Amino acid sequence: MDGLLWWEAGRKVVELTGRGDDFAQLLVRALIFRSVTSDEPCRREGREIPPAEAERFAAVADLIAQL
């Protein structure tokens, strides 16, 4: 997940590492986990997630939806 979010690994990595509904579900769960753990420090500090980071999460969610 980190490679998809912060290193722009892209669809090619997803295609190389796994296929099927089960794999897509694992990616969804990993994205949820990473979004919660990324959001928690922002909440504690009373600030919003930076727009660039939110865009990265949205791009990965779109990629997963395409699978």
Side-chain angles (χ1 to χ4, degrees), residues 32-65:
I32 291 168
F33 172 80
R34 186 54 73 205
S35 68
V36 169
T37 57
S38 295
D39 182 51
E40 188 58 31
C42 293
R43 284 183 187 221
R44 274 188 269 135
E45 296 170 6
R47 59 183 175 88
E48 294 183 16
I49 294 176
E53 189 166 339
E55 289 173 16
R56 283 194 294 266
F57 279 92
V60 173
D62 290 342
L63 173 66
I64 295 170

Side-chain angles (χ1 to χ4, degrees), residues 8 20 28 60:
E8 300 176 12
V28 168
V60 173

Side-chain angles (χ1 to χ4, degrees), residues 11 13-29 63-67:
R11 185 181 190 95
V13 167
V14 174
E15 291 172 352
L16 289 171
T17 56
R19 291 183 173 81
D21 293 338
D22 291 342
F23 185 71
Q25 184 59 225
L26 291 173
L27 286 176
V28 168
R29 292 176 186 200
L63 173 66
I64 295 170
Q66 295 172 11
L67 296 177

